[in-house]
Amino acid sequence: MDGLNPLRQLVALGDTGNFRLAGEALGVSHSAVSQTIRKLEESYGVELFDRTRGRTVPTAFGERLIESARRSLNDMDTAARDLQLMESHQGGRLVIGVDPAVSESLLSLPLAKMINKHPSLQFTVLSCNRARWEKRLRNREIDVYLGLQPDREEDVLSYRKLVLQPPALFCRSDHALLSKPTILINDLRHLSVIGGDVPDWFLWRILDAYPDAFSGLQDLRGTFLTSQDFGLLRQLLLRTNALAILPEFIIQQEIATGLVRKIEVQRWPFNDSTISGVAAWLRERPLPPAAKQLLSEVQRMLDQSVFRRRTPGGP
C-alpha cells in the first residue's frame, strides 16, 4: 500500500542507519528515502535523524516516531493476514504456537489433514515455552496456541479446554530401578529426573500425592532437569541413568524396540487420569476459519482417543 511507504522507509532508515541501505532494502533509491524523511521532518517540524556523526542516527523525536511506525506496520501486516484467513481456507498463513510437550501428539494428525485438504494454506508452527506464549498472543505473533492449561487465565484471552493424556515415568530397559518389586517416590530422590517445563498445578498434583517427600513447590521443581527440546530429553534418557517424565507418544518407538520401559511408582497421581490442556487466542481478534477448523480436527482426534473416557484431571 502506497500510504505505508513513508512508514516503511522511516523504519528501514532507523534499522540500517544509512539512506542507501534503507533504499536497497525496500527496492527504492536512496534519494527517494531522503525525500520522504525530509517531508516527514517538515510536517512534524522536528529533526528525526542526526546526520552529523558519520552515521544517520534517530533523534529522540525519530525514535518515538519509528516506534509508532513499526507498531502500525506490524498491525497492518497482521490485519492483512487476518483478512486472508477470514475470507477462506484457500490462502494466507496460520501461525500456531504450541507447547513442545504436546506438539507432536496434538498437531501431527490434524495438521496433516489440513495440509492435504487446503494445500494453498500456509502454516507456521512456533514452539512456545511456558513463560512466552501468552505474550506472543497479546503481541499478535501467533494466531492460536495449544498446550497445557496455565496456572491462571488472562482476561484478554479466550480459552477452549482440551483433555490430554498425561506424561508417565520412563527409564532405560536395563535400569537398576526396575529390579525393585515396588518403586516408591523416595527411590527417585537420588536420581536425575528430566522432563519438560510444566505449570505449577502439575507439580501440585505430585506434592498432594506425596506430602512428606518434598518440602514444597520449589524443592520439587528443583529436582527436575527441564528442557523444551524433547529430542535432547530423549537422548538423555537413552544415554544416562536419568528417569524421564514424558508423553508416551514422544518415545513410542523406543518403547516398541525395548530400549525404554515405563516405571510404575506407587501412588503416582497421573495413573488412569487425564490432564487439562487449552487452545487459546486473543479475545479481541476473530479466530480465523482455518484456526477454527484446525481446533475442530484436534478435538475430533481427542474424542476418538482411548483416554477420552477417563475422568478429567488438571488444576
Side-chain angles (χ1 to χ4, degrees), residues 100-119:
V102 300
S103 59
E104 189 174 358
S105 57
L106 267 187
L107 278 183
S108 56
L109 293 178
L111 201 54
K113 287 186 177 180
M114 291 285 291
I115 291 172
N116 289 333
K117 189 172 184 180
H118 307 292

Side-chain angles (χ1 to χ4, degrees), residues 142-178:
I142 57 177
D143 300 307
V144 63
Y145 170 80
L146 295 95
L148 297 179
Q149 182 170 327
D151 291 310
R152 63 185 182 280
E153 294 188 352
E154 299 286 343
D155 292 339
V156 297
L157 302 180
S158 295
Y159 299 87
R160 180 183 297 179
K161 304 296 184 184
L162 302 174
V163 179
L164 307 178
Q165 190 171 21
L169 271 166
F170 299 95
C171 68
R172 282 180 8 201
S173 57
D174 60 351
H175 202 288
L177 194 63
L178 294 173

Side-chain angles (χ1 to χ4, degrees), residues 27-48:
V28 299
S29 67
H30 71 278
S31 60
V33 178
S34 178
Q35 184 177 5
T36 295
I37 301 304
R38 185 170 61 254
K39 288 181 178 179
L40 287 172
E41 290 178 330
E42 292 174 354
S43 175
Y44 288 104
V46 295
E47 285 193 355
L48 300 177

Side-chain angles (χ1 to χ4, degrees), residues 240-286:
T240 70
N241 286 324
L243 309 179
I245 300 180
L246 296 172
E248 187 169 331
F249 191 94
I250 290 176
I251 52 171
Q252 58 185 354
Q253 182 175 353
E254 287 78 4
I255 296 172
T257 56
L259 295 175
V260 169
R261 286 182 56 183
K262 186 176 180 179
I263 302 173
E264 300 292 344
V265 179
Q266 192 174 64
R267 304 200 333 264
W268 183 245
F270 301 107
N271 287 336
D272 299 321
S273 69
T274 58
I275 60 174
S276 297
V278 295
W281 59 93
L282 196 60
R283 189 182 300 275
E284 65 180 23
R285 185 181 186 188

